[in-house]
Amino acid sequence: MPTSDSSSTDKQPTAQDGYVPKHFANIDQEKDGEHEKAPQHVAAASGSAKPATEAPKAAEESDEGANTTVGKHMAKPAAKHVEPPSESSVAPEEFAAQPAKAALAAVPAKPSGKPAQARSFPEKPTEKASEPENKDADTKKTSKTSTTTKTTKATKTTKQTSKAPKSTKASKSTKTSKSTKQTSKKKKGSKKKRGLIVRRVLIIVICALVAAIVILFANGIYWEPKVSGQYYGSGLSQQNDSYVNPYQWQNLNRDALGRLHYTVDGQEMSRTGIDVSEFQGDINWHQVRNDGISFAMIRAGYRGSDNGQIVGDSNFRKNLIGAQMAGLDVGVYFYSQATSVDEAVEEANFVLGQLGPASIEYPVAFDWEPASGADSRISDLNVESSQQIAEAFCQEIQNKGKTAVVYGNIYDLESLNYPTLYSYGYWLASYTDQPLMAIPCGLWQYSSYGTVSGIDGKVDMDIDLTQALNQYYSNADTSDSASSSND
């Protein structure tokens, strides 16, 4: 490759002739095809083509010459940081001495997606000095674009955030409205379900009541009005009255069924009743009432004559409720085998516990009679002990608001010293046409072989004489007052 001091016969054109070296024109070319034309210019500038092996040596020589020439021109501007002269002010002779440098600059670059840029050489401080400015401009542009993008993003986010509460409020309001609608629907549904359940329950209850009523009527179990009449009481006002017979037995008569009635001047002064226990089994009390029975004495329990254990009657509750539903007046009795006052009180409290809150019209009877056989618990008791036992039982009953009466036959009552128990009255057991004992008994058990509808087998028959008894004492009181006034 020729240098700047080599001889050349041809006259080279100058800048005055308008000549521009081709290697300056080829620097800014971007396409690969345009870069391929650079070797022709190199060949033309050198005048003779050299082999490819000599190209590196020539390039090195040209680099040394270019460095010397560039150093001359750039010594002062580089030191003072003055902008180097432009291409138009540089003489073409100086660039002609650098054919190898131009050839290297014209070598085509590797194709890439970006447009090709001119290479910067170390001898051109202008290009190196201009690159930081361009970079600063690019960085400024990129920073401006980044700041603008950031500001736009920030404004968008602020707009979105400013709009977000409205949307969230709207969404919340819609959600709350939906939830309220759902809850109202659920409430309505639950109310409907409850209404259906209540209706079904009512229908079931009504059907059950109707079925129960039908069953009760079919079995003869239903409430009836109370029978006429009442119990007037058996208690006496004084002990001397216990020795007087107040009745006129000619007023006593039997009906076709063998039942006794006490009538005075054509008016009946008595009531017909029965006494029952578990031995009578199941009783149809409505049939009993329709058979003319007005009251019933029902056994509440008993104390064993051997072991002394208190046992409740197995049919007591059933008989009590059944008799009251049939409209009968009811009283109770307890079969006692008490050997002490404490046991008598225990028996009385047991009866009261069996009754509970039930109200009764007739008294609670103390049935004290020795059991058949030599092993009876009470057979060896004397009269005083027996009387105290009877007194304790009756007093406990009356202290709890009930009425008491003493039951027994003539022998049982005598063993209890019955005149001392006059305030409670007597329920006499005597299976005869007339009582064998001249005693003012308010109740009289006159038979153990009675027959009554609704009861299988025999049953004890009783008559209530309390109305006639109280009438007698009232008449006696008036006569006594009248005689005393005459005196």
Side-chain angles (χ1 to χ4, degrees), residues 21 23-24 86-87 90-99 102 124:
H23 62 275
F24 282 105
S86 62
E87 294 178 356
V90 179
E93 289 85 358
E94 294 176 357
F95 292 98
Q98 302 175 1
K124 293 181 180 179

PDB file of all heavy atoms in Angstrom, residues 21 23-24 86-87 90-99 102 124:
ATOM      1  N   PRO A  21     -12.463  11.996  -0.976  1.00  0.00           N
ATOM      2  CA  PRO A  21     -11.998  10.579  -0.981  1.00  0.00           C
ATOM      3  C   PRO A  21     -13.161   9.625  -0.759  1.00  0.00           C
ATOM      4  O   PRO A  21     -14.118   9.899  -0.012  1.00  0.00           O
ATOM      5  CB  PRO A  21     -11.020  10.541   0.202  1.00  0.00           C
ATOM      6  CG  PRO A  21     -10.634  11.952   0.425  1.00  0.00           C
ATOM      7  CD  PRO A  21     -11.763  12.782   0.025  1.00  0.00           C
ATOM      8  N   HIS A  23     -13.046   6.768   0.761  1.00  0.00           N
ATOM      9  CA  HIS A  23     -13.149   6.059   2.048  1.00  0.00           C
ATOM     10  C   HIS A  23     -13.946   6.864   3.059  1.00  0.00           C
ATOM     11  O   HIS A  23     -14.503   6.312   4.001  1.00  0.00           O
ATOM     12  CB  HIS A  23     -11.754   5.736   2.605  1.00  0.00           C
ATOM     13  CG  HIS A  23     -10.920   6.962   2.893  1.00  0.00           C
ATOM     14  ND1 HIS A  23     -10.167   7.583   1.929  1.00  0.00           N
ATOM     15  CD2 HIS A  23     -10.769   7.658   4.041  1.00  0.00           C
ATOM     16  CE1 HIS A  23      -9.537   8.625   2.479  1.00  0.00           C
ATOM     17  NE2 HIS A  23      -9.910   8.683   3.784  1.00  0.00           N
ATOM     18  N   PHE A  24     -14.074   8.235   2.867  1.00  0.00           N
ATOM     19  CA  PHE A  24     -14.975   9.001   3.732  1.00  0.00           C
ATOM     20  C   PHE A  24     -16.428   8.767   3.357  1.00  0.00           C
ATOM     21  O   PHE A  24     -17.316   8.766   4.206  1.00  0.00           O
ATOM     22  CB  PHE A  24     -14.660  10.498   3.629  1.00  0.00           C
ATOM     23  CG  PHE A  24     -13.453  10.891   4.434  1.00  0.00           C
ATOM     24  CD1 PHE A  24     -12.252  11.168   3.811  1.00  0.00           C
ATOM     25  CD2 PHE A  24     -13.528  10.989   5.803  1.00  0.00           C
ATOM     26  CE1 PHE A  24     -11.149  11.524   4.558  1.00  0.00           C
ATOM     27  CE2 PHE A  24     -12.442  11.345   6.539  1.00  0.00           C
ATOM     28  CZ  PHE A  24     -11.221  11.625   5.933  1.00  0.00           C
ATOM     29  N   SER A  86     -13.170  19.973  11.147  1.00  0.00           N
ATOM     30  CA  SER A  86     -14.098  19.069  10.435  1.00  0.00           C
ATOM     31  C   SER A  86     -13.430  18.474   9.233  1.00  0.00           C
ATOM     32  O   SER A  86     -12.342  18.855   8.845  1.00  0.00           O
ATOM     33  CB  SER A  86     -15.345  19.865  10.026  1.00  0.00           C
ATOM     34  OG  SER A  86     -14.973  20.893   9.141  1.00  0.00           O
ATOM     35  N   GLU A  87     -14.140  17.605   8.602  1.00  0.00           N
ATOM     36  CA  GLU A  87     -13.584  16.875   7.461  1.00  0.00           C
ATOM     37  C   GLU A  87     -13.344  17.792   6.271  1.00  0.00           C
ATOM     38  O   GLU A  87     -12.440  17.585   5.473  1.00  0.00           O
ATOM     39  CB  GLU A  87     -14.517  15.727   7.064  1.00  0.00           C
ATOM     40  CG  GLU A  87     -14.612  14.651   8.128  1.00  0.00           C
ATOM     41  CD  GLU A  87     -15.585  13.564   7.712  1.00  0.00           C
ATOM     42  OE1 GLU A  87     -16.204  13.733   6.651  1.00  0.00           O
ATOM     43  OE2 GLU A  87     -15.725  12.545   8.445  1.00  0.00           O
ATOM     44  N   VAL A  90      -9.873  19.601   6.446  1.00  0.00           N
ATOM     45  CA  VAL A  90      -8.646  18.799   6.373  1.00  0.00           C
ATOM     46  C   VAL A  90      -8.272  18.615   4.920  1.00  0.00           C
ATOM     47  O   VAL A  90      -9.131  18.286   4.097  1.00  0.00           O
ATOM     48  CB  VAL A  90      -8.839  17.459   7.081  1.00  0.00           C
ATOM     49  CG1 VAL A  90      -7.570  16.632   6.966  1.00  0.00           C
ATOM     50  CG2 VAL A  90      -9.202  17.680   8.525  1.00  0.00           C
ATOM     51  N   ALA A  91      -7.009  18.723   4.612  1.00  0.00           N
ATOM     52  CA  ALA A  91      -6.533  18.593   3.225  1.00  0.00           C
ATOM     53  C   ALA A  91      -6.585  17.168   2.806  1.00  0.00           C
ATOM     54  O   ALA A  91      -6.329  16.267   3.592  1.00  0.00           O
ATOM     55  CB  ALA A  91      -5.095  19.126   3.116  1.00  0.00           C
ATOM     56  N   PRO A  92      -6.907  16.916   1.565  1.00  0.00           N
ATOM     57  CA  PRO A  92      -6.974  15.528   1.085  1.00  0.00           C
ATOM     58  C   PRO A  92      -5.622  14.871   1.032  1.00  0.00           C
ATOM     59  O   PRO A  92      -5.543  13.666   1.023  1.00  0.00           O
ATOM     60  CB  PRO A  92      -7.586  15.671  -0.304  1.00  0.00           C
ATOM     61  CG  PRO A  92      -7.389  17.078  -0.698  1.00  0.00           C
ATOM     62  CD  PRO A  92      -7.368  17.875   0.550  1.00  0.00           C
ATOM     63  N   GLU A  93      -4.495  15.617   0.939  1.00  0.00           N
ATOM     64  CA  GLU A  93      -3.200  14.986   0.888  1.00  0.00           C
ATOM     65  C   GLU A  93      -2.910  14.242   2.171  1.00  0.00           C
ATOM     66  O   GLU A  93      -2.243  13.210   2.168  1.00  0.00           O
ATOM     67  CB  GLU A  93      -2.096  16.061   0.647  1.00  0.00           C
ATOM     68  CG  GLU A  93      -2.096  16.655  -0.756  1.00  0.00           C
ATOM     69  CD  GLU A  93      -3.073  17.796  -0.854  1.00  0.00           C
ATOM     70  OE1 GLU A  93      -3.752  18.045   0.188  1.00  0.00           O
ATOM     71  OE2 GLU A  93      -3.213  18.374  -1.925  1.00  0.00           O
ATOM     72  N   GLU A  94      -3.397  14.744   3.264  1.00  0.00           N
ATOM     73  CA  GLU A  94      -3.133  14.083   4.538  1.00  0.00           C
ATOM     74  C   GLU A  94      -3.878  12.748   4.606  1.00  0.00           C
ATOM     75  O   GLU A  94      -3.376  11.774   5.137  1.00  0.00           O
ATOM     76  CB  GLU A  94      -3.593  14.967   5.684  1.00  0.00           C
ATOM     77  CG  GLU A  94      -2.763  16.257   5.797  1.00  0.00           C
ATOM     78  CD  GLU A  94      -3.299  17.148   6.885  1.00  0.00           C
ATOM     79  OE1 GLU A  94      -4.350  16.754   7.480  1.00  0.00           O
ATOM     80  OE2 GLU A  94      -2.704  18.190   7.163  1.00  0.00           O
ATOM     81  N   PHE A  95      -5.075  12.722   4.074  1.00  0.00           N
ATOM     82  CA  PHE A  95      -5.821  11.466   4.108  1.00  0.00           C
ATOM     83  C   PHE A  95      -5.370  10.491   3.047  1.00  0.00           C
ATOM     84  O   PHE A  95      -5.579   9.313   3.159  1.00  0.00           O
ATOM     85  CB  PHE A  95      -7.313  11.743   3.919  1.00  0.00           C
ATOM     86  CG  PHE A  95      -7.900  12.467   5.095  1.00  0.00           C
ATOM     87  CD1 PHE A  95      -8.055  13.851   5.042  1.00  0.00           C
ATOM     88  CD2 PHE A  95      -8.243  11.781   6.237  1.00  0.00           C
ATOM     89  CE1 PHE A  95      -8.569  14.504   6.132  1.00  0.00           C
ATOM     90  CE2 PHE A  95      -8.766  12.450   7.315  1.00  0.00           C
ATOM     91  CZ  PHE A  95      -8.937  13.816   7.291  1.00  0.00           C
ATOM     92  N   ALA A  96      -4.737  11.019   2.000  1.00  0.00           N
ATOM     93  CA  ALA A  96      -4.230  10.129   0.959  1.00  0.00           C
ATOM     94  C   ALA A  96      -3.071   9.332   1.464  1.00  0.00           C
ATOM     95  O   ALA A  96      -2.782   8.251   0.955  1.00  0.00           O
ATOM     96  CB  ALA A  96      -3.794  10.948  -0.270  1.00  0.00           C
ATOM     97  N   ALA A  97      -2.344   9.867   2.455  1.00  0.00           N
ATOM     98  CA  ALA A  97      -1.226   9.121   3.007  1.00  0.00           C
ATOM     99  C   ALA A  97      -1.683   7.997   3.902  1.00  0.00           C
ATOM    100  O   ALA A  97      -0.880   7.289   4.471  1.00  0.00           O
ATOM    101  CB  ALA A  97      -0.325  10.079   3.810  1.00  0.00           C
ATOM    102  N   GLN A  98      -2.999   7.807   4.049  1.00  0.00           N
ATOM    103  CA  GLN A  98      -3.518   6.763   4.960  1.00  0.00           C
ATOM    104  C   GLN A  98      -4.426   5.803   4.204  1.00  0.00           C
ATOM    105  O   GLN A  98      -5.591   5.635   4.534  1.00  0.00           O
ATOM    106  CB  GLN A  98      -4.301   7.407   6.098  1.00  0.00           C
ATOM    107  CG  GLN A  98      -3.467   8.385   6.896  1.00  0.00           C
ATOM    108  CD  GLN A  98      -4.299   9.104   7.937  1.00  0.00           C
ATOM    109  OE1 GLN A  98      -5.463   8.825   8.035  1.00  0.00           O
ATOM    110  NE2 GLN A  98      -3.657  10.006   8.675  1.00  0.00           N
ATOM    111  N   PRO A  99      -3.942   5.178   3.154  1.00  0.00           N
ATOM    112  CA  PRO A  99      -4.838   4.246   2.413  1.00  0.00           C
ATOM    113  C   PRO A  99      -5.166   3.004   3.221  1.00  0.00           C
ATOM    114  O   PRO A  99      -6.270   2.480   3.153  1.00  0.00           O
ATOM    115  CB  PRO A  99      -4.031   3.913   1.161  1.00  0.00           C
ATOM    116  CG  PRO A  99      -2.610   4.180   1.537  1.00  0.00           C
ATOM    117  CD  PRO A  99      -2.613   5.275   2.538  1.00  0.00           C
ATOM    118  N   ALA A 102      -7.885   3.757   5.738  1.00  0.00           N
ATOM    119  CA  ALA A 102      -9.189   3.847   5.057  1.00  0.00           C
ATOM    120  C   ALA A 102      -9.702   2.500   4.689  1.00  0.00           C
ATOM    121  O   ALA A 102     -10.901   2.235   4.735  1.00  0.00           O
ATOM    122  CB  ALA A 102      -9.040   4.729   3.818  1.00  0.00           C
ATOM    123  N   LYS A 124      -8.928  10.306  16.221  1.00  0.00           N
ATOM    124  CA  LYS A 124      -9.964  11.312  16.061  1.00  0.00           C
ATOM    125  C   LYS A 124     -10.591  11.584  17.411  1.00  0.00           C
ATOM    126  O   LYS A 124     -11.505  10.887  17.832  1.00  0.00           O
ATOM    127  CB  LYS A 124     -11.033  10.856  15.074  1.00  0.00           C
ATOM    128  CG  LYS A 124     -10.522  10.746  13.652  1.00  0.00           C
ATOM    129  CD  LYS A 124     -11.610  10.322  12.731  1.00  0.00           C
ATOM    130  CE  LYS A 124     -11.129  10.203  11.297  1.00  0.00           C
ATOM    131  NZ  LYS A 124     -12.178   9.777  10.391  1.00  0.00           N
TER     132      LYS A 124
END
